[in-house]
Amino acid sequence: MTPDPGFDDEFVDGHTLDELGDYLDRGRVPPDPAIDQSADCQVALASLERLRRISESALSLEVAERGEVDEGWLRGILSGISREARAGRDIPLPSPEPVGVFRITEGAVRGLIRSAGDAVDGLVIGRCRLTGDVTEPGAPIVVDVDASVLWGVRIDDAADRLRAAIARQIERHTALVVDAIDITVHDVHSRRVREGDRR
Amino acid sequence: MTAAADIEHRIADEVAHLPGVEVLYPADALSTRIRVALPSAIGSAPRQVTASESSVGWAVTVVVGIDEAHAAPDVCVSVHQAVSNCLREANLTATTITIRIASIH
């Protein structure tokens, strides 16, 4: 059965992540308006670029130590990118204009949270969720973030820095009332190799 | 008479010149980047704005992506101002001007 580009996790606004990755490889040349002017594709491209930057160091370390790459880790993050690039719910912004209705999409905010991860060396954001009624002004919400870190990075420090970076971005760009930013570090890369070395 | 599509193009040009702002196609809600229509006509094909309609309130929706260096609420105000100016030049009034930020990069 042919997957439905509108609903399949593999597709971002009708494009696969492979297609978007190839587009990045070509330096976005020739320009493709269907990608360049798609909000979802822009969110996904930004996430792919961030992932490439961090994974270059992570993968080179992993290949050097294990001789292979943890493809499950990459697959999980890529799956999160395609799923979370979608616009999602509309989040209201305060408007000083009588006829102005200002909104920011949930997908844009998730992209913002991912970009906050850039401020933290050696950490990659996997999945992020906004829990609570983001469509209701003033309603408290919780930001849930799954992350993985590179071997040697202090997890508590990295989590603190990520939490502060996310809070800054959300405060600057939205009117969301954040009750908590929960960060779960679920993987440390090359840990298995290090443990194996100790045996 | 002015075509609604002409006003949409004019708004697109104005908004695209704002610093850090890019007009985007939304993925899930609208088929065009900018929609100027009477509230009752949203979703219908672009058409001419008649003189009798020009004084009626119009609904405008603009979907943009913005540069991370610019705070989203500030961008909304700038885009709103640009849209208001375009409508004023076309002698149109708005019931709502919806600015939707769909991407921050």
Side-chain angles (χ1 to χ4, degrees):
Chain A
M1 194 173 117
T2 306
D4 182 338
F7 296 97
D8 195 280
D9 270 356
E10 299 287 319
F11 287 88
V12 177
D13 205 5
H15 300 275
T16 65
L17 283 181
D18 282 345
E19 289 170 358
L20 296 178
D22 289 344
Y23 191 55
L24 281 181
D25 289 341
R26 297 196 305 270
R28 307 188 189 214
V29 175
D32 184 341
I35 294 176
D36 290 339
Q37 296 174 347
S38 157
D40 290 7
C41 288
Q42 289 303 308
V43 172
L45 285 172
S47 297
L48 283 175
E49 282 183 317
R50 279 194 293 275
L51 176 62
R52 285 183 175 190
R53 279 199 298 273
I54 188 75
S55 63
E56 275 173 15
S57 56
L59 295 183
S60 58
L61 179 67
E62 195 147 327
V63 168
E65 293 186 342
R66 296 177 59 182
E68 63 185 42
V69 172
D70 183 354
E71 291 183 357
W73 171 66
L74 269 181
R75 266 200 309 273
I77 291 175
L78 288 171
S79 164
I81 287 173
S82 60
R83 188 174 52 242
E84 292 167 7
R86 305 233 168 88
R89 296 171 285 182
D90 271 1
I91 300 171
L93 292 172
S95 168
E97 310 290 345
V99 297
V101 178
F102 299 166
R103 303 265 186 258
I104 184 169
T105 65
E106 190 175 11
V109 173
R110 283 193 297 248
L112 206 55
I113 292 169
R114 284 185 179 279
S115 82
D118 286 350
V120 184
D121 287 339
L123 183 146
V124 183
I125 291 181
R127 187 172 63 168
C128 58
R129 285 163 297 179
L130 304 178
T131 308
D133 189 358
V134 295
T135 64
E136 183 63 36
I141 65 139
V142 173
V143 179
D144 280 314
V145 175
D146 288 347
S148 52
V149 297
L150 301 187
W151 174 262
V153 173
R154 281 186 59 100
I155 294 174
D156 51 353
D157 283 352
D160 284 346
R161 279 183 283 135
L162 178 60
R163 193 175 287 111
I166 291 172
R168 273 197 304 273
Q169 290 281 53
I170 289 180
E171 185 180 10
R172 176 169 159 73
H173 289 284
T174 80
L176 288 168
V177 177
V178 179
D179 247 9
I181 300 172
D182 294 335
I183 297 169
T184 305
V185 175
H186 57 80
D187 203 359
V188 178
H189 289 283
S190 301
R191 180 182 57 185
R192 281 169 295 184
V193 173
R194 301 286 181 175
E195 286 174 347
D197 289 346
R198 289 194 207 106
R199 288 188 194 122
Chain B
M1 287 197 300
T2 309
D6 291 341
I7 302 164
E8 290 168 359
H9 286 133
R10 206 175 306 162
I11 291 173
D13 285 344
E14 287 295 319
V15 172
H17 282 96
L18 295 173
V21 181
E22 179 185 10
V23 181
L24 293 173
Y25 280 107
D28 60 338
L30 299 164
S31 57
T32 56
R33 293 175 283 181
I34 295 176
R35 171 73 73 180
V36 177
L38 284 168
S40 61
I42 287 179
S44 64
R47 60 189 179 84
Q48 301 293 309
V49 180
T50 65
S52 62
E53 286 173 344
S54 63
S55 60
V56 179
W58 288 69
V60 181
T61 299
V62 183
V63 182
V64 296
I66 69 170
D67 188 310
E68 200 175 320
H70 300 261
D74 297 342
V75 170
C76 286
V77 171
S78 302
V79 174
H80 183 279
Q81 189 63 50
V83 173
S84 296
N85 291 343
C86 289
L87 291 177
R88 194 176 304 119
E89 287 168 10
N91 289 319
L92 297 178
T93 55
T95 52
T96 57
I97 298 174
T98 302
I99 315 296
R100 189 167 182 250
I101 294 178
S103 162
I104 302 180
H105 49 273

